[in-house]
Amino acid sequence: MRTIVTLPGDGIGKVVLDETIRVLNAAGFEAEYVEGDIGWEFWCNEGNPLPQRTLDLIAEHKISLFGAITSKPKDEAFGELSPDLKEKGLIYSSPIVGLRQHFGLDICLRPCRTYTGNPLNFIRRGPNDCIEEPEVDVAIFRQNTEGLYGGVEWSNPPEQVYDALMTHPKFKSNFGSAPVEDVSVSTRIFTKKYTERIVRAAFEHARKYGYKSVTVCEKPNVIRETSGMMYKMAQQIQKEDFHSIELWNTNIDAQMMWLTKNPENYGVIVAGNMFGDIVSDGFAGLIGGLGFACSAQYNPETGIGVFEPTHGSAPKYADYPVSIVNPIAMVESANMMLDFINEQDLAKKIKKAVADVVTEGKVRTYDMAKMSGRADVVKNGAASTTQMADAIIAKL
Ligand code: IPM
Ligand code: MN
């Protein structure tokens, strides 16, 4: 039997994961689950939110379902560290970013598709003031390990770094007069290998699922070297291997404006790490927000994959006696896992059950019912996390 590593993490991570496993079981997916330690608790007590034993577990079983993580700024994180660890010079860093780096999960796919009947769907004013509800079907490929998330950064950079920066004429003229201790640098490094990999993954997905275009969403007019490299590589890859798919080029800022103007025009979108993060939240907003935003991140060489909803841990909702959060993003992330491990039929079955529940509209979590997320929403007619999972299970 297959073993899946579960990583509940913090806050609402555990409840959405538990409900999702209930759905997987009900659909007939046969697996054994082992839980990995990750998150805030392990930072506070051990000084490491991503312990080695968890990495070992993932390396062994390869496939993992991830709930959610609480991340706090450096100083606040230090404050919550257990007193005996405070002397050790530990610095908090996000365990999800750590997981991506450690296993080289360089491909991140975030699909954003309209669910028919979702009251949270984006609508816009059309001709003669009619209301239009464009159908969004976008697959965002986010480079998941490089760029601004590469972790190569300094405040008050060491002398060698500073000297090297000073050899760049633009650094010298734009920043050379600032005292070195006033300078902070975060690098944005792209490499050909991983840029090519994400761009090719985007084109292959477009071909496999019949999308007519791939859009590189970067900013090559200003960020010439990194964004420019990605766009140039995309042009070459399209010319060599994917002539029947159109290559479009948008700038991240313009894309954020256009995504409410004509979101139905886009198919596959590919971007670097930070812009992929931004554009995927932008499109998620059009299809119901973070309660619907799922993702897959994987390393195509090792076959290691981590599947996670892109919402946070929503700590303020975590202590409600009855959980109110929408589990659909987690369930859909599990569907992406099923696709990844060649259980397409099961994935299809669960996807259809989710779509049926949303379309029918009888069972709606507070976000879908447009309530603000208070503990009394269930009393007022919203479905709880468990009731939503029950409704999905009933449709299987
Ligand atoms: C995401 C999240 C993460 C990111 C955070 C939690 C570090 O926003 O998965 O999109 O920025 O990648
Ligand atoms: Mn994000």
Side-chain angles (χ1 to χ4, degrees):
M1 201 176 348
R2 183 181 277 285
T3 301
I4 308 285
V5 179
T6 57
L7 303 169
D10 305 312
I12 61 161
K14 182 168 168 50
V15 60
V16 292
L17 191 52
D18 285 349
E19 294 301 335
T20 296
I21 290 171
R22 230 157 46 79
V23 173
L24 287 168
N25 287 337
F29 177 55
E30 285 179 17
E32 197 174 77
Y33 298 92
V34 290
E35 188 172 311
D37 296 337
I38 191 167
W40 201 247
E41 185 190 334
F42 303 96
W43 161 253
C44 298
N45 300 333
E46 298 177 27
N48 184 0
L50 179 56
Q52 183 61 42
R53 57 185 181 278
T54 305
L55 297 173
D56 294 342
L57 211 55
I58 299 168
E60 182 183 347
H61 301 295
K62 294 200 153 116
I63 302 295
S64 129
L65 284 173
F66 181 96
I69 278 294
T70 299
S71 284
K72 299 187 189 179
K74 233 166 57 175
D75 297 343
E76 215 176 307
F78 184 77
E80 292 189 33
L81 204 52
S82 126
D84 52 310
L85 295 169
K86 284 214 160 94
E87 309 297 303
K88 297 201 166 166
L90 302 166
I91 295 173
Y92 178 79
S93 67
S94 162
I96 184 62
V97 175
L99 263 185
R100 294 170 187 162
Q101 303 291 357
H102 181 84
F103 291 111
L105 308 174
D106 62 304
I107 309 288
C108 175
L109 168 57
R110 298 184 162 181
C112 294
R113 289 179 85 148
T114 302
Y115 292 79
T116 308
N118 186 352
L120 297 172
N121 286 344
F122 168 68
I123 54 174
R124 73 178 166 220
R125 210 190 297 265
N128 303 318
D129 275 357
C130 74
I131 297 294
E132 297 176 336
E133 191 173 317
E135 199 178 322
V136 178
D137 178 1
V138 162
I140 293 152
F141 280 80
R142 168 188 183 185
Q143 204 299 326
N144 216 29
T145 47
E146 301 196 325
L148 282 168
Y149 284 67
V152 183
E153 45 183 6
W154 302 268
S155 284
N156 188 8
E159 203 178 310
Q160 272 180 316
V161 174
Y162 187 77
D163 290 349
L165 288 169
M166 279 298 249
T167 65
H168 196 295
K170 287 257 171 72
F171 184 86
K172 199 164 174 192
S173 65
N174 293 338
F175 306 104
S177 63
V180 58
E181 60 276 12
D182 289 1
V183 172
S184 289
V185 182
S186 299
T187 62
R188 187 179 204 259
I189 302 173
F190 283 26
T191 62
K192 279 196 172 156
K193 174 174 173 183
Y194 292 106
T195 303
E196 169 159 13
R197 240 154 82 151
I198 195 72
V199 170
R200 277 200 182 274
F203 273 105
E204 271 153 21
H205 190 86
R207 176 145 71 197
K208 185 165 170 196
Y209 295 100
Y211 289 96
K212 74 171 206 288
S213 64
V214 168
T215 301
V216 174
C217 177
E218 277 283 322
K219 187 94 187 177
N221 57 337
V222 178
I223 315 176
R224 294 173 192 282
E225 300 308 326
T226 46
S227 295
M229 173 166 93
M230 181 175 277
Y231 185 54
K232 252 186 266 150
M233 288 188 95
Q235 284 177 304
Q236 199 182 339
I237 288 167
Q238 191 259 1
K239 204 165 105 203
E240 279 168 14
D241 296 324
F242 297 93
H243 330 210
S244 59
I245 297 163
E246 291 172 32
L247 171 63
W248 301 352
N249 177 26
T250 60
N251 290 332
I252 178 69
D253 53 338
Q255 181 72 72
M256 296 314 278
M257 178 180 63
W258 289 333
L259 64 79
T260 53
K261 195 165 171 238
N262 55 352
E264 68 273 43
N265 290 2
Y266 297 95
V268 175
I269 293 179
V270 59
N273 211 335
M274 189 75 209
F275 295 164
D277 183 38
I278 293 170
V279 78
S280 61
D281 267 20
F283 272 96
L286 306 178
I287 61 125
L290 294 177
F292 292 83
C294 54
S295 79
Q297 7 185 26
Y298 56 91
N299 178 325
E301 276 167 75
T302 61
I304 294 181
V306 176
F307 301 83
E308 64 154 328
T310 59
H311 57 60
S313 63
K316 66 175 177 182
Y317 299 161
D319 319 320
Y320 288 0
V322 174
S323 171
I324 65 165
V325 296
N326 189 346
I328 289 180
M330 183 81 240
V331 172
E332 292 287 22
S333 303
N335 286 335
M336 297 186 79
M337 172 194 80
L338 291 172
D339 276 333
F340 189 74
I341 59 175
N342 278 318
E343 295 277 3
Q344 279 85 2
D345 289 345
L346 272 179
K348 252 188 230 152
K349 182 163 135 184
I350 301 175
K351 276 183 215 170
K352 180 166 186 311
V354 173
D356 287 349
V357 171
V358 176
T359 305
E360 193 178 69
K362 281 199 210 142
V363 177
R364 287 176 170 169
T365 43
Y366 81 91
D367 52 330
M368 300 169 76
K370 309 204 180 204
M371 297 176 177
S372 60
R374 287 198 309 259
D376 61 359
V377 293
V378 176
K379 238 189 289 157
N380 296 325
S384 66
T385 310
T386 302
Q387 286 167 336
M388 176 53 90
D390 283 341
I392 295 167
I393 290 168
K395 295 281 181 203
L396 285 169

